[in-house]
Amino acid sequence: MRRSKRQSRSLRLEAWTASDVARQQLGWYVRNCALSPAAGMLELVMLQRLDRLKGALEGDIEDLEFDDNASFDARNLNRRRQEFRRILGEYTAVPSNDDGLEMNVLFARDEFGLDDIDTEILLLLLRYERNNDLEQFADEVLHRLHGPAAAVAALLGIERREARRRIASDGLLIESGLICLSEDGCSVGLAGQSGYLQLARPLRKVMHYSYASREEWVAALIGEPLATPLAWEDFDHLGPVRELAAKMMAGAGKNGASGINLLLHGPVGTGKTEFAKTLTGHVGMSIWSIGETDDQGGEPTRGERLAALKLAQRLLAKRVGTLVLLDEAEDVLASEMPFFGRSRDRSKVYLNRMIEQNPVPIIWTCNDVAAIDPAVLRRMTLAVEVKTPGRSARARIWNRVLDETGLKLGDDAVERLSSRYSAPPAVAANAARAAMLSGGGEAAVEEAMGGVLQLLGIGPGVPDADASDFDPVLVNCDGDLAGLTERLVLPGASRQWSLCLSGPPGTGKSQFARYLAARLGMEVMQQRASNLLSMWVGESEKQIAAAFQAARARRAMLVIDEADSLLSDRREAVRSWEVTQVNEMLTWMESHPLPFVCTTNLMDRLDQASLRRFTLKLRFASLSPAQTKLAFERFFGIVALRRLADDLTPGDFATVRRKRDLLGVTDPSMLADWLDEEAEAKGARVRRIGFAAARD
């Protein structure tokens, strides 16, 4: 629906509506209509405007209302026609505005390469928005001529065929995003049965203000280029595809290639936008973020974002070394949403063409690629999955962030933060800034960061153990762990192997895997099977594949705990997805080129085929009596005064040591009692025989 006249008037300056310039503009467009082939159809409309034009010449500016159904008797008709022709003789040229509007149109003419007719159409729509008399007249003309093309032809005094060509979908005005013939993404304009001929909203918000220069006008239209404080090395966890993306964008900028599209996808908070900005700076280019707000500063519609994108493409095409960023692209690239009120099929054709022909490379970011039409995905030049950075990268990020903010934290704090939290660079920087402003330290950083990460769905990870925390002597295993480690870390030794570590909780399985990774100089990517399993059919398989792919990209050791949940015996499967889940794991295990470790407490539940795929299978058990004595000395620095309980593990000693540190207890008897409690909780046999037991 068209807006009401009251709403229309509220958008205009009263001073402009009452000015002589406004009436002279009306006279110019009425004159064009009088000289057009449609003059006969418009005679009544033009005669109804006679008093308005006459008043302008004679100083009578009374605001008269006209009845669309008014008629004139034959006796007065010829007299009014003569008077009309006399008055129109006074309007041989359209007057200029004195408020910068024409200057803005000249800016647009130069930037978009408009000719005289395109410029006049743009001026007509701008004047329509500001001139109440012209709006009324133009609406009446369009109503009687049944369509925007016919109305434009009459108002400008050009051929209807030419007007139709100028406002066609492939015409310069619409292709450039200056105007549109629809309701979506545009301001209110000439309305007819075939649609609305309107200014695009991104243009509308800047055209009614004055600017000192063309560059200032361009900046008002598309904003300023983005910058980032992050370093290229902050994203080395993305692997070789990072360099490929940089070289592609640099080549596109140098050669002026069209149809270049880079899709950055991944979960919320992984740093997709920051990577786009960092990549741009790395290759010495500039990037603009487009379609973030509408003309009122609110959330834009799909049409508004695409209109802004088209404008930016045209404006930046002349500028060397420019890129365009469109964040949260799902709502733009999703095929099920209609575009400009058209059918889905027409929308796909339009969108596909825009992606294939864009003159300025576009970086698209999205959180969910499943929402994007496959036809659009096929047209992307390159797609990069942006994952959370690895530990070594996170450590570099934290060191740089601390230097920039001036927050003083020790190396141990950096190690803990980078080990425990998979924080994207922007989150780390904000947390450090919050801690600095509040006068806090590491605890304040964790507090500030924890809340944001929770919102992003990123929880704290499992801290990586230092190599010195693991002692093979304190592990009861059926294999020689020390000898195995030395063979695996030999220069030139194969890295394509897998281990299955089984045994009760706390026996050191995961700790050995992390120790082995540290000796190999590899990052650990530790996953629990429960994190990979999904209630949705097919999703578990996707998450399994993603875990292996991420390990390959980072050149990291993948450790999967609770592997029995993913490799359960297929002979006992009840549902088909239980089988496909195991098959997916087996497929990736066979082809994985890097060290891979599974841990399980339930070895007997594993599928037999999976067992054959492990290079080595090692069984971990509770500590022997001799090992418990040694563990007591290593963990507590004192000698046990009696024989300790059966079925103790290194994990039990670690638990009691934390309890000791918290309560400040050093009595060996009390420490032994606490170990007994840990053993009793597991149903183990406990001996308390006295001091003589200490000499067993």
Side-chain angles (χ1 to χ4, degrees):
M1 288 180 65
R2 282 183 45 225
R3 65 191 179 193
S4 68
K5 295 298 182 183
R6 180 174 296 179
Q7 291 172 323
S8 298
R9 293 192 179 100
S10 67
L11 298 176
R12 300 181 179 82
L13 299 174
E14 292 294 333
W16 175 265
T17 303
S19 69
D20 288 338
V21 173
R23 290 185 175 83
Q24 290 170 9
Q25 287 180 353
L26 172 65
W28 167 253
Y29 290 111
V30 173
R31 181 179 183 275
N32 289 337
C33 289
L35 299 175
S36 74
M41 300 177 62
L42 301 175
E43 183 178 39
L44 181 59
V45 177
M46 293 186 291
L47 290 175
Q48 289 173 333
R49 294 293 147 184
L50 176 62
D51 291 330
R52 174 68 69 191
L53 299 173
K54 183 178 178 182
L57 293 176
E58 299 177 357
D60 180 10
I61 58 173
E62 181 183 357
D63 189 8
L64 301 177
E65 294 292 338
F66 300 96
D67 182 3
D68 288 347
N69 298 317
S71 61
F72 304 97
D73 57 51
R75 185 178 56 186
N76 294 325
L77 184 58
N78 288 332
R79 179 180 61 80
R80 294 181 67 87
R81 286 171 174 169
Q82 293 175 2
E83 189 175 14
F84 180 69
R85 286 192 291 270
R86 178 183 64 80
I87 292 174
L88 288 182
E90 303 292 330
Y91 298 97
T92 56
V94 64
S96 298
N97 298 334
D98 57 2
D99 61 354
L101 183 139
E102 265 79 10
M103 182 59 69
N104 293 339
V105 173
L106 291 177
F107 292 155
R109 179 184 180 120
D110 293 340
E111 287 290 340
F112 293 93
L114 307 180
D115 62 14
D116 290 343
I117 295 178
D118 288 334
T119 303
E120 287 300 323
I121 293 174
L122 191 61
L123 274 168
L124 170 62
L125 293 177
L126 286 167
R127 291 164 177 161
Y128 176 94
E129 290 198 354
R130 298 164 66 92
N131 189 333
N132 188 60
D133 295 329
L134 177 58
E135 181 200 14
Q136 294 178 23
F137 177 67
D139 286 347
E140 292 163 351
V141 170
L142 187 142
H143 177 71
R144 283 164 174 77
L145 299 184
H146 307 293
V152 168
L155 290 165
L156 297 184
I158 62 177
E159 294 184 0
R160 184 174 298 190
R161 181 177 59 183
E162 184 67 21
R164 188 179 298 110
R165 184 175 72 84
R166 299 298 179 132
I167 64 174
S169 60
D170 58 351
L172 180 58
L173 288 170
I174 290 183
E175 277 292 315
S176 300
L178 293 169
I179 69 171
C180 51
L181 186 60
S182 82
E183 191 171 4
D184 189 13
C186 303
S187 66
V188 175
L190 290 169
Q193 295 178 351
S194 60
Y196 291 77
L197 182 63
Q198 307 162 320
L199 289 177
R201 284 180 177 165
L203 184 68
R204 185 187 185 215
K205 70 179 181 179
V206 303
M207 291 301 286
H208 299 297
Y209 299 91
S210 298
Y211 302 94
S213 66
R214 188 168 73 181
E215 289 303 316
E216 184 179 329
W217 178 81
V218 171
L221 192 58
I222 62 173
E224 299 290 343
L226 304 177
T228 178
L230 303 184
W232 185 240
E233 292 75 21
D234 292 341
F235 296 94
D236 63 355
H237 60 282
L238 299 183
V241 73
R242 176 189 64 155
E243 295 295 339
L244 176 60
K247 292 177 180 178
M248 181 187 75
M249 286 305 189
K254 181 180 180 180
N255 301 315
S258 61
I260 303 300
N261 296 272
L262 171 62
L263 178 65
L264 305 180
H265 63 97
V268 175
T270 53
K272 298 182 291 293
T273 302
E274 293 302 322
F275 174 63
K277 295 189 289 185
T278 304
L279 181 152
T280 304
H282 178 68
V283 299
M285 302 176 73
S286 301
I287 189 167
W288 278 259
S289 182
I290 303 302
E292 295 182 342
T293 61
D294 62 10
D295 58 330
Q296 301 298 321
E299 183 178 2
T301 65
R302 186 176 189 239
E304 289 171 343
R305 300 190 75 193
L306 283 173
L309 180 60
K310 289 195 295 182
L311 276 170
Q313 287 280 309
R314 288 285 180 173
L315 285 171
L316 297 175
K318 297 181 179 180
R319 293 162 170 80
V320 179
T322 58
L323 300 173
V324 170
L325 170 67
L326 199 89
D327 264 325
E328 309 291 340
E330 290 93 331
D331 63 325
V332 172
L333 301 178
S335 61
E336 63 270 12
M337 299 176 65
F339 174 63
F340 284 2
R342 301 172 182 172
S343 69
R344 175 174 175 174
D345 291 339
R346 293 184 67 185
S347 174
K348 287 177 63 174
V349 170
Y350 176 88
L351 190 57
N352 293 343
R353 185 179 64 186
M354 186 178 69
I355 293 173
E356 293 169 349
Q357 300 176 359
N358 58 298
V360 178
I362 303 175
I363 300 180
W364 312 79
T365 76
C366 75
N367 304 321
D368 183 16
V369 292
I372 300 176
D373 192 312
V376 172
L377 295 177
R378 289 196 298 269
R379 287 168 167 82
M380 292 292 160
T381 315
L382 182 66
V384 177
E385 182 181 6
V386 182
K387 308 178 183 69
T388 54
R391 187 182 68 174
S392 58
R394 295 198 297 268
R396 288 196 302 272
I397 292 170
W398 277 111
N399 283 318
R400 178 182 52 76
V401 164
L402 294 176
D403 289 340
E404 292 174 351
T405 59
L407 183 65
K408 303 298 183 182
L409 295 180
D411 293 340
D412 291 344
V414 171
E415 179 65 24
R416 285 190 294 270
L417 291 171
S418 59
S419 174
R420 185 163 177 73
Y421 296 97
S422 299
V427 175
N430 289 333
R433 191 175 299 112
M436 184 67 183
L437 293 173
S438 64
E442 181 182 354
V445 171
E446 290 194 85
E447 187 71 23
M449 184 168 52
V452 177
L453 293 178
Q454 184 178 10
L455 294 176
L456 297 175
I458 303 175
V462 179
D464 294 340
D466 188 75
S468 61
D469 292 338
F470 180 79
D471 188 350
V473 177
L474 298 181
V475 177
N476 190 6
C477 179
D478 61 358
D480 181 6
L481 298 184
L484 174 62
T485 300
E486 296 306 319
R487 289 193 61 83
L488 293 177
V489 301
L490 285 174
S494 173
R495 292 290 187 266
Q496 189 170 6
W497 47 260
S498 56
L499 303 179
C500 179
L501 311 181
S502 63
T507 51
K509 303 183 296 295
S510 297
Q511 192 178 29
F512 172 64
R514 296 196 292 270
Y515 166 78
L516 190 56
R519 292 291 307 276
L520 291 167
M522 299 181 70
E523 177 189 351
V524 173
M525 289 189 60
Q526 191 162 353
Q527 293 277 2
R528 292 185 175 88
S530 55
N531 296 332
L532 301 178
L533 293 172
S534 173
M535 62 181 293
W536 306 108
V537 176
E539 284 300 313
S540 296
E541 290 87 335
K542 291 181 181 179
Q543 294 179 171
I544 290 170
F548 279 94
Q549 290 170 342
R552 288 188 185 185
R554 295 188 187 181
R555 305 296 296 176
M557 178 188 287
L558 178 61
V559 179
I560 298 182
D561 292 323
E562 309 163 359
D564 47 278
S565 300
L566 298 173
L567 293 171
S568 56
D569 197 330
R570 287 171 291 181
R571 295 172 299 180
E572 300 179 3
V574 178
R575 303 171 182 84
S576 61
W577 57 263
E578 294 176 303
V579 176
T580 59
Q581 177 182 289
V582 176
N583 292 340
E584 185 73 17
M585 277 287 297
L586 297 179
T587 299
W588 282 100
M589 288 170 61
E590 288 182 338
S591 62
H592 193 56
L594 296 171
F596 167 61
V597 179
C598 278
T599 72
T600 178
N601 305 328
L602 304 169
M603 185 73 168
D604 57 336
R605 294 187 181 181
L606 295 185
D607 189 271
Q608 293 300 308
S610 71
L611 292 176
R612 293 194 299 269
R613 284 165 169 83
F614 288 106
T615 310
L616 292 173
K617 295 173 282 291
L618 301 174
R619 189 177 296 275
F620 289 65
S622 301
L623 298 173
S624 67
Q627 286 178 314
T628 58
K629 289 177 61 178
L630 181 60
F632 197 96
E633 296 175 12
R634 294 282 180 89
F635 276 85
F636 307 129
I638 54 178
V639 177
L641 300 181
R642 63 174 174 83
R643 182 172 180 176
L644 302 173
D646 295 331
D647 205 26
L648 288 174
T649 68
D652 297 326
F653 282 90
T655 299
V656 172
R657 183 171 60 182
R658 289 192 295 270
K659 188 175 181 179
R660 179 205 66 177
D661 295 342
L662 179 64
L663 301 178
V665 174
T666 58
D667 182 10
S669 299
M670 181 66 73
L671 297 174
D673 290 343
W674 286 349
L675 288 170
D676 290 344
E677 292 174 2
E678 295 295 324
E680 289 176 342
K682 297 182 288 186
R685 184 164 58 96
V686 176
R687 297 184 180 93
R688 296 184 177 89
I689 307 177
F691 292 102
R695 292 186 284 274
D696 286 352

